[in-house]
Amino acid sequence: MAGKGAKKNSDIRSDIKADEAAADIKKDPDTASAGELSLEESFEKLDSLLERMEDRELPLEEAFSLYQQGLELMKSCNEKIDTVEKQILVLNGDGGFDEF
């Protein structure tokens, strides 16, 4: 009987942690506005997401949500890097400029 009670308390603690983490995600203004973050801020946010995902007690649903957020941040980072690469000009042999 004691084993069942301990398991239930453990499940309750996991549910509370998951609810708190989900609330933190919803409160986080950077999550909804990945396109508005600078590249450096996006990298910092990705690092933060990775740290949170490394928690072995993280519920699967929350881990998947963090994974999706990471994918969106990566997409935003790639778009920003592509934009900058297109703006870089390379001097060609004729003294003119070519797009990178």
Side-chain angles (χ1 to χ4, degrees):
M1 271 318 244
K4 285 185 179 181
K7 185 175 186 211
K8 287 182 181 179
N9 288 339
S10 171
D11 291 343
I12 291 169
R13 283 193 297 272
S14 293
D15 290 343
I16 291 170
K17 282 183 183 179
D19 291 343
E20 289 172 351
D24 288 343
I25 291 169
K26 289 177 185 173
K27 288 184 216 171
D28 191 348
D30 292 343
T31 302
S33 59
E36 297 173 13
L37 297 174
S38 71
L39 190 58
E40 292 78 11
E41 290 169 331
S42 295
F43 286 152
E44 288 175 14
K45 183 70 179 169
L46 280 167
D47 284 339
S48 173
L49 290 174
L50 285 171
E51 285 178 22
R52 290 165 60 189
M53 289 178 69
E54 288 174 350
D55 181 0
R56 292 187 179 268
E57 295 190 20
L58 185 70
L60 180 61
E61 294 83 6
E62 184 182 348
F64 184 68
S65 175
L66 294 173
Y67 176 76
Q68 288 177 314
Q69 291 175 44
L71 287 178
E72 288 298 317
L73 281 168
M74 286 297 300
K75 180 180 175 185
S76 173
C77 289
N78 284 334
E79 289 171 357
K80 289 174 184 168
I81 290 170
D82 287 344
T83 300
V84 170
E85 285 179 343
K86 289 176 183 175
Q87 293 173 349
I88 295 175
L89 298 176
V90 178
L91 184 62
N92 66 24
D94 298 331
F97 290 98
D98 293 324
E99 285 194 44
F100 181 67

